[in-house]
Amino acid sequence: MKRKVTLKQIAKELDVSISTVSKALRNSPEIGEDTKQKVQAFAKFYNYKPNNIALSLKNKKTKTIGIIIPEIVHHFFATVISGIEQVANENGYNVIVCLSNESFDKEVINMEILANGSTDGFIMSLSKETQQKKDFHHIQEVINQGMPVVMFDRITNDVLCDKVIIDDQLAAYEAVDFLVAKGFKNIALVTTVDYVSVGRLRTDGYINALNDHDIPVHEDMIVKIEDIEGCASKIEALLKDKRPDAIFAVNELFAVTSIKLAAKMGIKIPEELSVIGFTDGIISQFSSPSITTVSQNGIYMGGRAAKMLIERLEMEEEEENEQYRTELIETHLVERESTSTM
Amino acid sequence: MKRKVTLKQIAKELDVSISTVSKALRNSPEIGEDTKQKVQAFAKFYNYKPNNIALSLKNKKTKTIGIIIPEIVHHFFATVISGIEQVANENGYNVIVCLSNESFDKEVINMEILANGSTDGFIMSLSKETQQKKDFHHIQEVINQGMPVVMFDRITNDVLCDKVIIDDQLAAYEAVDFLVAKGFKNIALVTTVDYVSVGRLRTDGYINALNDHDIPVHEDMIVKIEDIEGCASKIEALLKDKRPDAIFAVNELFAVTSIKLAAKMGIKIPEELSVIGFTDGIISQFSSPSITTVSQNGIYMGGRAAKMLIERLEMEEEEENEQYRTELIETHLVERESTSTM
C-alpha cells in the first residue's frame, strides 16, 4: 500500500517551499503555472489529500480543540494551555496541542494535520517566522473551510477572526510609568526584534511612557534581542556601558538574565538597579530576588479563548455571520523584590 | 445530523465510570452482563465508534506521533517534548500532544481521540491516578490493535512495551551518597506519596544509601507530599522540628520550596542547610542560590523514546515480534550553590 505523502515530502521532492506547495495545491494566483502543474501532478500521482477533506466533515463534530503554539518552555504558553483545558473540559471538549517551534513550515504542517478531521477549530499563537513572513494563507484556508480560529497573544490584523490579547502597549506603558513614579529616569529596555508583534508593542509603550514624562529616548538604551543565545553579551554591554538605574524587560527570561548578569558584575538589586519583567511565571516567583512583573494571566487568557471558540462552534447557522471580536485581557503589576525607589 | 457521542457522555448518561464504559464496549469479563448490555445498547443507538477503527487504518500511516503526558507546567515534560520533536522531525514525523492533567479518565479519552486515526503510535508518561488505580486496559488496547507505545519516566511493569527510564533508585542513591561524602548525616527526604512510581524509587534509593553508610533511617525525616498545595506546611514542620543539615528533594519544586522556607526561617543556605533537587529545570538554574540537582536530561530521554517508537513503526512485519526493550538513561549530578561541605 502506498504511504500517504505529506506536504513536506512534496516540497522536498520538488525542491520548493512548503508554502509554495500549499499554495499551488489551492491554485493560488501567487504561484506560476509551471510550478502549479508540477505540484498538482505530483500530488495527484501520490494520491495526496489536502485538508479540504475538512469541508466534507463540517458536520461531524469531533468535540476537540486544536492548539498551535510556538513553544512550551516559556511558562506563559503552558499557563494558557491550562486555561484552555479547564474551560474546554467543562464544556465537554478535549484539547490537542501541536508546537510550531517558531517555524512557519511546522505551523502549516500542524494545521494540515489537525484540520484533517481531528479538530473542530483552532486556538493559536503565531510563530516568529510566520509573523516575519506575513504569510497567513494556511490560517485563512481553514477559516474558509468553516473551521473557526481564535488567535491569542501573537496575532495578526491580516486575518479576520476572534482574538484574545492583552493591551501590550498599555501594559508596557504602565510598567515604565511605575518606574518613573519611583524616581527613575535612566531606564533601559530589553526587548525582542521588531517583527515579533508583542515585542514591538511593548517597545512602543516604553517609548510613549518616556515621551509623556519628557524623558528623552536614547536608542542605545534599547537592546533588541534576536534569540536567547545572544542575549547575555548584549545585556552585559548595556549594563557596563550605560549603567541604567532601571530595566524594563519584555519577558521573564530577559529579566532574570539581566538580574543574574548584574549580580555577577557586582551591581546590587534592587539598591543599584531595579528590574521589571513581563509574564508572571515560575522564574519571576522563584528567582531571588523575586521579580516585579507585568502579570498576563495566561490561565484567564486561555479560558477566554476557549470560551470564544466554543461559542462560535456552537452557533446556529443563522448567527454565523456575527462579527469577530477582539477581547482585551487586563494586566496588572505584581510588585516583588527586584524594584525599589530611586 | 446526530453528533458523535463520546465515552464521557455515555458514562455520564449511564452514571458509571469511563473505565467501565470502555471495558464494557470491549466485552471485558470484569464488567457484569447487565452493565455491558446497557452500555453496548446505548453506544449502538448513538452510533458510537470505539477506537478499533484504528485497526482498519493499520496500514494507513499518518506519520504522526501522539504524546500523552500528565502536565506541562513541570519543565521536565516540556524538555522531553522538545527531545521527541527534534528526533521526530528529523525522521519526517509530526507530533501531537495531549495532557492527562494527572487524571485517569482524561488519559483514556486522550488515547481514544489520538488512536482514532490521528497517530501511528504513542509516547506516554502515566498520570498519577492511572498509577494509583493500576488500570492500564486503555494502553493494552491500543497495543493489541497494533499501535506501538513507548512509556517514559512514569511507567508500569504491568504493560509489555518499550520503555525509557532513568534509574531513579540509583540516581537518588548517588545524590544521598554525595551528601554523605560531604560529611552530612542528618539528611531529610522530601518526596511524593508512594504510588507515584518515580517518587517511590527515589525514596528507596535514599533509604539504601543511608543503610549502606550505616546511618539510621528515621521515618520522621521523610516527608511525603500528596500535592503541591500542602507541601509548605509539611516542609516547614520538618525544618522546625528536625533541623536537618541536608535535604534531598525528589523534584525541583520541592527543592526550591524548601530553600524559600528555610530562608524565611533565617536558615542560611548552603552554610546551615544543603539542598539537592531532582530535574535540572529553569527553577534550579535561575533560583538564588542556584540548586544542586540530579539532571535527568529530558531532551535526551525524549529523543531516545522517539527513536524507539519510530524504529518499531518502521519494522518489517517479520521483525515485529522482536522483544521489547527498556532503556536506562544515565543521570548526573550538577553541583551548584545550594550545597556545601559539613
Side-chain angles (χ1 to χ4, degrees):
Chain A
M1 189 176 175
K2 255 190 239 172
R3 287 207 169 168
K4 204 186 148 197
V5 71
T6 64
L7 270 190
K8 196 171 171 184
Q9 286 164 329
I10 300 179
K12 201 176 161 195
E13 199 64 41
L14 301 177
D15 197 23
V16 295
S17 74
I18 288 183
S19 177
T20 301
V21 175
S22 175
K23 284 174 178 163
L25 289 172
R26 270 108 200 168
N27 227 349
S28 160
E30 289 175 52
I31 308 296
E33 263 327 302
D34 262 20
T35 310
K36 253 193 256 185
Q37 281 180 11
K38 204 167 54 175
V39 170
Q40 290 173 358
F42 192 92
K44 198 172 166 193
F45 179 74
Y46 281 99
N47 200 21
Y48 173 78
K49 297 255 180 297
N51 63 10
N52 51 22
I53 197 174
L55 255 182
S56 62
L57 296 173
K58 209 190 154 182
N59 290 312
K60 187 188 161 261
K61 299 292 181 192
T62 61
K63 287 291 225 175
T64 301
I65 294 172
I67 305 179
I68 300 179
I69 51 169
E71 41 89 20
I72 46 165
V73 178
H74 272 79
H75 194 249
F76 168 65
F77 288 114
T79 59
V80 175
I81 292 177
S82 300
I84 295 172
E85 279 272 354
Q86 218 169 297
V87 172
N89 293 343
E90 280 164 20
N91 288 275
Y93 284 79
N94 297 295
V95 167
I96 286 181
V97 185
C98 283
L99 308 177
S100 65
N101 286 330
E102 303 288 10
S103 145
F104 170 76
D105 284 355
K106 277 221 67 181
E107 194 175 285
V108 174
I109 290 170
N110 286 338
M111 287 211 96
E112 188 201 17
I113 293 174
L114 295 184
N116 229 319
S118 302
T119 57
D120 296 341
F122 288 94
I123 297 175
M124 68 185 300
S125 194
L126 297 170
S127 83
K128 264 190 207 165
E129 212 187 347
T130 307
Q131 292 199 306
Q132 199 172 10
K133 273 180 185 275
K134 294 184 187 300
D135 182 345
F136 310 109
H137 78 281
H138 52 302
I139 304 168
Q140 199 55 61
E141 181 73 17
V142 301
I143 295 173
N144 294 348
Q145 286 174 20
M147 298 183 83
V149 172
V150 176
M151 286 191 195
F152 73 91
D153 196 50
R154 297 205 208 145
I155 63 156
T156 173
N157 292 326
D158 295 357
V159 175
L160 288 177
C161 65
D162 293 316
K163 288 160 198 165
V164 186
I165 48 172
I166 59 162
D167 190 335
D168 281 285
Q169 199 175 322
L170 180 63
Y173 185 100
E174 288 176 350
V176 176
D177 192 61
F178 169 88
L179 289 171
V180 174
K182 294 277 184 188
F184 299 108
K185 287 202 164 57
N186 197 20
I187 303 169
L189 172 70
V190 180
T191 184
T192 63
V193 285
D194 279 343
Y195 62 75
V196 179
S197 60
V198 299
R200 196 184 55 243
L201 289 166
R202 292 171 198 171
T203 303
D204 292 347
Y206 162 87
I207 292 172
N208 293 346
L210 292 187
N211 283 339
D212 286 358
H213 287 288
D214 294 322
I215 300 172
V217 175
H218 297 293
E219 278 303 321
D220 50 9
M221 291 286 277
I222 300 177
V223 175
K224 292 186 182 173
I225 310 274
E226 174 92 37
D227 46 48
I228 196 74
E229 284 75 32
C231 133
S233 60
K234 286 190 173 177
I235 296 174
E236 225 165 333
L238 170 78
L239 289 168
K240 207 170 139 219
D241 303 338
K242 299 293 157 195
R243 297 299 299 228
D245 5 89
I247 289 179
F248 169 51
V250 303
N251 61 44
E252 56 173 8
L253 270 180
F254 293 172
V256 77
T257 305
S258 304
I259 289 174
K260 285 247 152 189
L261 290 169
K264 223 199 262 173
M265 296 166 70
I267 301 169
K268 284 199 198 99
I269 291 168
E271 294 81 358
E272 299 173 331
L273 175 71
S274 283
V275 177
I276 294 191
F278 212 107
T279 306
D280 189 19
I282 42 174
I283 295 181
S284 303
Q285 289 164 45
F286 288 112
S287 75
S288 305
S290 57
I291 306 177
T292 298
T293 190
V294 177
S295 169
Q296 282 171 286
N297 206 345
I299 292 191
Y300 184 70
M301 193 178 225
R304 293 305 305 164
K307 188 111 205 304
M308 280 170 113
L309 184 68
I310 291 168
E311 275 173 18
R312 200 159 284 276
L313 286 171
E314 298 185 348
M315 267 180 191
E316 300 301 325
E317 237 164 75
E318 56 269 26
E319 302 170 288
E320 272 185 15
N321 290 319
E322 202 198 276
Q323 284 215 315
Y324 292 116
R325 290 167 298 165
T326 294
E327 192 169 317
L328 276 179
I329 303 285
E330 277 192 30
T331 58
H332 63 279
L333 209 66
V334 181
E335 202 173 344
R336 295 212 180 89
E337 301 160 357
S338 68
T339 47
S340 66
T341 305
M342 184 72 186
Chain B
M1 185 178 178
K2 252 189 239 169
R3 287 207 169 169
K4 200 188 151 197
V5 72
T6 64
L7 271 190
K8 196 172 171 181
Q9 287 163 327
I10 300 179
K12 199 175 163 197
E13 200 64 40
L14 301 179
D15 197 23
V16 294
S17 75
I18 287 183
S19 176
T20 300
V21 175
S22 175
K23 285 175 179 165
L25 289 171
R26 270 111 199 166
N27 227 349
S28 160
E30 290 175 52
I31 308 296
E33 263 327 302
D34 260 24
T35 310
K36 254 193 253 184
Q37 282 182 8
K38 205 167 56 177
V39 171
Q40 290 175 358
F42 192 91
K44 196 171 170 195
F45 180 75
Y46 280 100
N47 200 22
Y48 172 78
K49 296 254 180 296
N51 62 9
N52 50 22
I53 197 174
L55 253 183
S56 63
L57 297 173
K58 208 190 155 186
N59 290 310
K60 189 188 158 260
K61 299 292 180 189
T62 61
K63 287 290 228 173
T64 301
I65 294 171
I67 305 179
I68 301 178
I69 50 169
E71 42 89 20
I72 46 165
V73 178
H74 271 80
H75 193 249
F76 168 65
F77 288 114
T79 59
V80 174
I81 292 177
S82 301
I84 295 172
E85 279 273 353
Q86 220 170 297
V87 172
N89 293 342
E90 280 164 20
N91 289 276
Y93 283 79
N94 297 295
V95 167
I96 288 181
V97 185
C98 283
L99 308 179
S100 64
N101 286 330
E102 303 288 11
S103 144
F104 169 76
D105 284 355
K106 277 220 68 186
E107 194 176 284
V108 173
I109 290 169
N110 286 339
M111 286 212 99
E112 189 200 14
I113 293 174
L114 294 184
N116 230 318
S118 300
T119 58
D120 296 340
F122 289 94
I123 297 175
M124 68 186 300
S125 195
L126 297 169
S127 82
K128 264 191 209 165
E129 212 186 345
T130 307
Q131 294 199 304
Q132 199 171 11
K133 274 181 186 276
K134 296 183 187 298
D135 183 345
F136 310 109
H137 78 281
H138 52 303
I139 303 168
Q140 199 54 61
E141 182 72 18
V142 301
I143 294 174
N144 294 348
Q145 286 174 22
M147 300 183 82
V149 172
V150 176
M151 289 191 192
F152 72 92
D153 197 49
R154 296 204 208 147
I155 62 157
T156 173
N157 292 325
D158 294 357
V159 176
L160 287 177
C161 65
D162 292 317
K163 289 160 198 168
V164 187
I165 48 171
I166 59 163
D167 190 335
D168 282 284
Q169 200 176 321
L170 180 63
Y173 185 100
E174 288 175 351
V176 176
D177 191 59
F178 169 89
L179 289 171
V180 173
K182 293 276 185 191
F184 298 110
K185 288 204 164 56
N186 197 19
I187 303 168
L189 172 71
V190 180
T191 184
T192 63
V193 283
D194 279 341
Y195 62 76
V196 179
S197 60
V198 299
R200 196 186 51 243
L201 289 167
R202 292 171 197 170
T203 303
D204 291 346
Y206 162 85
I207 293 173
N208 293 346
L210 293 187
N211 282 340
D212 284 358
H213 288 288
D214 293 324
I215 299 173
V217 175
H218 296 294
E219 278 304 319
D220 50 7
M221 291 286 276
I222 300 177
V223 175
K224 293 187 180 174
I225 310 273
E226 174 92 37
D227 47 45
I228 196 73
E229 284 75 32
C231 134
S233 61
K234 285 190 174 179
I235 295 174
E236 225 165 333
L238 171 78
L239 290 168
K240 208 170 139 220
D241 303 338
K242 300 291 155 194
R243 296 303 294 230
D245 11 83
I247 289 179
F248 169 51
V250 303
N251 62 44
E252 59 174 7
L253 271 180
F254 292 173
V256 76
T257 306
S258 303
I259 289 174
K260 284 247 154 189
L261 290 170
K264 222 198 261 170
M265 295 166 73
I267 301 170
K268 283 198 199 100
I269 291 169
E271 294 82 356
E272 298 172 330
L273 175 71
S274 283
V275 177
I276 294 191
F278 212 108
T279 307
D280 188 21
I282 42 176
I283 295 180
S284 302
Q285 289 164 45
F286 288 113
S287 75
S288 301
S290 57
I291 306 178
T292 298
T293 189
V294 177
S295 169
Q296 284 171 286
N297 206 345
I299 292 192
Y300 183 70
M301 191 177 225
R304 294 304 305 164
K307 189 109 204 306
M308 279 171 114
L309 184 68
I310 291 169
E311 276 174 16
R312 200 160 282 279
L313 286 170
E314 298 185 348
M315 267 180 194
E316 300 302 325
E317 239 163 75
E318 56 270 29
E319 300 170 288
E320 272 184 17
N321 291 319
E322 202 199 278
Q323 283 215 316
Y324 292 116
R325 290 168 299 165
T326 294
E327 192 169 317
L328 276 179
I329 304 286
E330 276 192 30
T331 58
H332 61 280
L333 209 68
V334 181
E335 201 172 343
R336 295 211 181 89
E337 300 160 357
S338 68
T339 45
S340 67
T341 305
M342 184 72 188

